[in-house]
Amino acid sequence: MRGIDHKQNALFSYVNIEDRIAPDHPLRRIKTLADMVLRTMSPHFDALYAEGGRPSIAPERLLRASLLQCLFSIRSERALVEHIDFNMMFRWFVGLTLDEAVWDHSTFSANRERLLKESVMREFFGGVVAIAEWADLVSDEHFSVDGSLLRAWASHKSLMARDGSDEPPGPDQGRNPEVDFRGQKRSNKTHVSRTDPQALLASKGGAGAYLSFTTHALAENRNGLIVDVHTTQATGTAEREAALVMVKRTVKPADATREPTLAADRGYDTAEFIAALEPLGVLAHVAAKTKGSAVPVALKATEGYAVSLRRRKMIEEAFDWKPKVTVRFSTPC
């Protein structure tokens, strides 16, 4: 018998939102770990807010929502808020009940811009790493480093000549004017983006050049877990410079019982980079160039060097997993 397509909406629901989420859903474990870190950050949050005034969006909810945006590659705050409003699982993860009104996207953006500074995000990230260290999932001796491009919130149409020689679009062109740049040579020396001046033209792996930034990651070589991140402009030396920043910040110098190693691809095989690692007490297990390599011959012959180059490839998996979203860069983090 054919069922009837009833249109009457129920007035009440007696099912707990907790029961709507599958017991084995991956978000359950993620939420448990995230809440553990957020509880330890409560004193930090208290110091960021005034004692009086109108309550704002809870910082814990801001961070959980931002985590959802990364996990599900939601490209904007407007789309994120829309998903949270109608997606029951997202409501549960953030901490909203079925009846609570979700905040406006502009309010969310303003609160997150004010709250989620580098110090807050780094403390949250550090808490996650601390849990991995407690579970003995990370190594404190062998690491890998790599970088990848992040597409900026700016298009080729936004490029303008630094000397002002471009003809401005006509008054009737609207917000998306026609721009014909065929046959024109554009570079970071001659052009800059109107909408995101810090974005630079960059390419990797033989692909076309796009306005981009560079994200860098430092991973341990036991399980390939990321233990430090850094974001910079997409300059030609950004990867090596960011690697040194992360090593100084994260890797403990060598002592009598341990000698840290850092694996990297051929892009890091320069005399300056390898020499900069020596005073930090870190061995440079860098993939050697076929010609003009700065990696010592004796080091390339060691078994540890070969192992590091094999384990290094795990960090590339993390870049494949990263959210496919565009970014607007403000300060290095």
Side-chain angles (χ1 to χ4, degrees):
M1 177 180 176
R2 179 180 175 180
I4 301 174
D5 183 19
H6 289 291
K7 300 297 184 181
Q8 178 65 40
N9 293 325
L11 295 177
F12 303 100
S13 175
Y14 299 98
V15 179
N16 191 334
I17 190 173
E18 183 77 23
D19 299 332
R20 296 282 189 180
I21 313 302
D24 58 346
H25 198 285
L27 276 184
R28 283 192 175 274
R29 185 66 183 275
I30 294 174
K31 188 174 188 298
T32 299
L33 297 176
D35 287 347
M36 288 174 58
V37 178
L38 291 172
R39 282 194 292 270
T40 65
M41 295 177 63
S42 183
H44 192 165
F45 293 145
D46 289 339
L48 294 174
Y49 289 87
E51 295 183 1
R54 186 176 64 179
S56 61
I57 303 172
E60 293 85 353
R61 291 183 172 183
L62 284 173
L63 276 163
R64 293 193 199 101
S66 299
L67 193 56
L68 284 175
Q69 186 175 13
C70 292
L71 292 172
F72 291 90
S73 297
I74 302 174
R75 62 168 299 152
S76 68
E77 283 83 2
R78 184 187 295 270
L80 173 63
V81 170
E82 182 180 345
H83 277 283
I84 294 174
D85 192 24
F86 68 72
N87 191 319
M88 192 179 300
M89 182 175 66
F90 282 16
R91 280 181 167 270
W92 163 82
F93 188 87
V94 170
L96 293 170
T97 66
L98 289 176
D99 298 326
E100 279 187 272
V102 69
W103 49 81
D104 184 79
H105 69 89
S106 60
T107 305
F108 174 77
S109 300
N111 277 265
R112 189 170 69 167
E113 183 70 20
R114 180 176 61 86
L115 169 71
L116 302 187
K117 303 298 182 182
E118 178 186 351
S119 59
V120 176
M121 298 304 294
R122 189 161 293 283
E123 183 177 351
F124 180 78
F125 181 79
V128 176
V129 174
I131 292 176
E133 292 174 344
W134 172 80
D136 198 25
L137 296 175
V138 298
S139 167
D140 65 346
E141 189 172 359
H142 304 294
F143 301 88
S144 295
V145 68
D146 203 357
S148 181
L149 293 180
L150 289 177
R151 193 78 63 87
W153 271 346
S155 68
H156 282 287
K157 287 186 176 182
S158 70
L159 287 172
M160 64 177 181
R162 293 182 182 272
D163 60 5
S165 59
D166 286 346
E167 293 184 5
D172 58 341
Q173 289 286 327
R175 58 178 293 181
N176 191 18
E178 291 291 334
V179 179
D180 184 9
F181 48 83
R182 290 183 179 180
Q184 298 181 11
K185 292 185 178 180
R186 296 184 166 196
S187 69
N188 293 317
K189 291 183 178 179
T190 60
H191 287 74
V192 63
S193 171
R194 294 183 181 90
T195 56
D196 196 346
Q198 291 181 296
L200 299 178
L201 285 168
S203 64
K204 195 168 187 178
Y210 294 94
L211 288 165
S212 307
F213 299 99
T214 305
T215 181
H216 314 269
L218 181 71
E220 55 80 42
N221 284 354
R222 178 179 296 168
N223 294 299
L225 297 180
I226 304 299
V227 295
D228 202 349
V229 291
H230 199 64
T231 303
T232 65
Q233 289 182 286
T235 63
T237 59
E239 292 191 3
R240 296 188 292 274
E241 293 168 354
L244 294 175
V245 170
M246 292 187 292
V247 167
K248 293 176 183 178
R249 192 164 54 196
T250 304
V251 181
K252 299 177 182 178
D255 54 32
T257 61
R258 50 187 292 280
E259 190 173 26
T261 63
L262 181 69
D265 60 33
R266 288 184 176 89
Y268 296 81
D269 185 5
T270 65
E272 294 80 8
F273 179 72
I274 293 176
L277 288 177
E278 291 182 5
L280 302 178
V282 177
L283 283 177
H285 284 183
V286 178
K289 298 176 182 177
T290 54
K291 294 182 180 180
S293 174
V295 181
V297 176
L299 180 62
K300 291 190 287 186
T302 62
E303 181 181 356
Y305 178 82
V307 173
S308 290
L309 293 190
R310 289 198 302 269
R311 303 297 289 179
R312 178 190 66 82
K313 297 180 180 179
M314 290 191 297
I315 196 173
E316 297 175 359
E317 299 175 358
F319 287 112
D320 287 336
W321 298 333
K322 76 178 187 295
K324 303 301 188 289
V325 295
T326 52
V327 298
R328 182 175 294 277
F329 176 76
S330 54
T331 54
C333 61

